[in-house]
Amino acid sequence: MYDQPRANPAQPAMTFDQMLERVRYEGAHPTRERAEEAVRTVLAALGQQLVGDERVDLAQCLPVEAALALTAQIPDTEPLTGWGFIKDMAARAGTTPAVARWDTGAVLAVVARLAGPDLLARILRQLPGGYALLFGLAELRQPQPAF
């Protein structure tokens, strides 16, 4: 059967313009246009990594324009690690991994604040290793037992 539509909770905590200004500040981008390019590129790539309720819930936390960039992408069947995500972003944008990492960190720091700790924890559980650092968090792993 089809999923029942969810009630749209509250309006996002910030407008798209406010989000762009925050990313511009976080990423030290010289122009609003450069910040918008980073937001759209990073969210499109993230949209290819997220599925299910986490994808829907994150989209509801974002301003409409950002949510559309996230949800316009079809999720990949093979999720990328955090480093794979950065390399893919660099290739798409025609830039270096360092620039792609910088842009990703600026955008995902703002996304993390909008998502909140509970949703962010769910998102990180869904993604392969390496994403916590991209969202500005420490990546804590349980030690694997030695056999």
Side-chain angles (χ1 to χ4, degrees):
M1 189 138 259
Y2 296 104
D3 287 336
Q4 295 297 317
R6 298 180 197 204
N8 193 357
Q11 291 299 317
M14 65 175 61
T15 67
F16 190 59
D17 286 336
Q18 290 169 328
M19 182 181 194
L20 293 180
E21 283 306 312
R22 192 76 227 156
V23 169
R24 182 176 176 195
Y25 176 79
E26 294 279 340
H29 295 301
T31 64
R32 181 185 183 281
E33 290 75 23
R34 179 65 187 94
E36 183 172 354
E37 179 184 328
V39 166
R40 291 186 188 281
T41 303
V42 171
L43 290 178
L46 183 62
Q48 290 184 305
Q49 301 303 308
L50 290 176
V51 296
D53 289 342
E54 289 76 17
R55 179 182 169 105
V56 172
D57 293 347
L58 179 58
Q60 288 181 337
C61 294
L62 299 174
V64 172
E65 299 88 341
L68 290 173
L70 177 82
T71 59
Q73 304 303 311
I74 297 171
D76 285 339
T77 55
E78 294 288 325
L80 299 172
T81 64
W83 175 237
F85 182 82
I86 294 300
K87 290 191 306 187
D88 183 61
M89 288 271 311
R92 287 172 191 247
T95 188
T96 66
V99 171
R101 171 64 180 93
W102 184 267
D103 286 349
T104 299
V107 173
L108 294 184
V110 174
V111 168
R113 277 185 241 132
L114 289 171
D118 294 337
L119 176 55
L120 186 56
R122 289 178 28 224
I123 289 169
L124 291 174
R125 278 194 297 274
Q126 183 185 114
L127 294 170
Y131 281 87
L133 291 172
L134 300 179
F135 280 96
L137 302 172
E139 183 149 7
L140 304 175
R141 297 272 178 180
Q142 294 294 325
Q144 299 297 318
F147 291 100

